[in-house]
Amino acid sequence: MLISVGAQHYVLMLIPSLLLDIEKLGLRRIIRMSDFSEQEVTALYFEFVSIKRVLPDNPHSIEPAIWQHLLHCVRVMSSLVTLATMEDLERARETAIHRYLPHAKESLKNEYDQMRSQGKVDFRLAGILRGSDTPENSGQVCMEAILREREQRVESIKYLGTEYLTGHEAYVVGAAKAHVISHIEDAPEDFGVLDLVIRLLDLLRLVLVLESRSPGGASAVSSNFTMENIVLGIGNSLYRGELGLHVSSLGLARVNK
């Protein structure tokens, strides 16, 4: 199975990240949340560790047959980590919406007031702003604000440099910028992968600026927003479909297949 060069760079970034996630979660939690036996999960974990030790850094040095086995391991391990953290991910989503909601409401209200002062009326926007504080409407407010910020963010990421990134990270970011620029003219009206990539690229730009201004080499941002984590998020957005990293499709092919 051939995958794009960008996806190859992402996989080589993803492997050590998955191993770190597994170590943080613990094999017991992963085994408890999965349909695999303790022996199967343990065997795959140690195989994964062994693979990481011998993998070359250059994706072009990896044989196609090895890529096929590597992708199988990555899909299964990624699914196990995702299943073990599903509740955490849902809580994180709700927290993110809650924190972003005031900014989103203010941004939309300012735009609506500006349109009214110009004699224009956007009934859809007015309906969203008058909506109740239900989770559904809160999510809609956030998504609407994100979509309306699209153009501004696209302009800002044109100036995103990659000089502080690793080779794998730089390739993924470069591919993401090219993807955004080539698809922005036909961008969908609803929130999708393109908008997620745009926001992550803009977040990376901000983190790079903050880190470059931080004195004494101290980190200027939370450990959740490291450059590595953001680029992994970008790679996940771009390549999870190509790599088959879908929880719903995991039927979870047995490890000893």
Side-chain angles (χ1 to χ4, degrees):
M1 174 186 177
L2 296 177
I3 60 174
S4 66
V5 178
Q8 292 175 2
H9 282 278
Y10 170 63
V11 167
L12 294 181
M13 287 178 57
L14 182 61
I15 290 171
S17 176
L18 281 173
L19 285 171
L20 185 61
D21 286 340
I22 292 168
E23 291 169 5
K24 289 179 178 178
L25 290 167
L27 288 177
R28 289 186 181 278
R29 178 175 177 180
I30 290 176
I31 292 166
R32 188 174 67 251
M33 299 294 290
S34 75
D35 294 329
F36 291 100
S37 69
E38 180 177 354
Q39 181 180 2
E40 287 175 315
V41 174
T42 303
L44 182 60
Y45 169 71
F46 284 110
E47 180 181 2
F48 216 48
V49 171
S50 300
I51 288 173
K52 177 183 177 295
R53 288 174 180 166
V54 299
L55 272 180
D57 194 53
N58 184 353
H60 299 295
S61 301
I62 302 175
E63 297 294 328
I66 296 177
W67 271 117
Q68 186 172 1
H69 180 66
L70 191 60
L71 288 175
H72 172 68
C73 292
V74 166
R75 286 169 184 155
V76 177
M77 295 308 292
S78 178
S79 71
L80 292 177
V81 169
T82 301
L83 288 170
T85 57
M86 194 67 74
E87 293 180 0
D88 296 339
L89 290 172
E90 185 60 30
R91 283 196 297 269
R93 178 183 178 277
E94 292 174 359
T95 299
I97 288 179
H98 178 73
R99 289 180 177 177
Y100 182 65
L101 187 58
H103 165 77
K105 283 184 174 179
E106 183 179 359
S107 174
L108 293 183
K109 185 177 184 303
N110 289 341
E111 183 170 346
Y112 180 69
D113 289 343
Q114 183 177 359
M115 292 175 67
R116 285 183 58 191
S117 68
Q118 297 171 352
K120 303 174 184 177
V121 179
D122 186 327
F123 292 105
R124 180 176 178 275
L125 181 56
I128 292 173
L129 288 171
R130 284 198 298 266
S132 61
D133 289 331
T134 62
E136 292 77 14
N137 191 66
S138 295
Q140 187 178 13
V141 168
C142 291
M143 291 304 99
E144 185 69 18
I146 288 171
L147 291 177
R148 289 172 181 263
E149 292 173 356
R150 178 188 279 167
E151 185 176 340
Q152 177 183 347
R153 292 183 183 277
V154 169
E155 190 61 32
S156 72
I157 64 175
K158 291 179 181 178
Y159 304 98
L160 170 60
T162 59
E163 59 270 20
Y164 296 106
L165 305 178
T166 66
H168 295 314
E169 291 170 347
Y171 196 98
V172 169
V173 169
K177 288 176 64 176
H179 175 79
V180 168
I181 292 171
S182 64
H183 289 82
I184 193 61
E185 294 299 326
D186 301 317
E189 291 299 321
D190 58 342
F191 181 81
V193 172
L194 185 68
D195 290 285
L196 182 56
V197 172
I198 290 171
R199 290 190 65 81
L200 287 171
L201 285 170
D202 193 42
L203 178 60
L204 178 62
R205 178 191 61 79
L206 176 61
V207 168
L208 285 169
V209 170
L210 291 174
E211 291 288 358
S212 67
R213 295 175 180 175
S214 180
S219 177
V221 296
S222 163
S223 59
N224 294 325
F225 294 108
T226 62
M227 290 181 281
E228 180 184 3
N229 285 346
I230 296 170
V231 178
L232 281 168
I234 293 169
N236 181 271
S237 302
L238 280 179
Y239 302 119
R240 70 178 294 118
E242 179 182 350
L243 296 173
L245 302 180
H246 298 289
V247 176
S248 59
S249 67
L250 296 170
L252 293 174
R254 306 302 288 177
V255 176
N256 55 6
K257 176 180 175 182

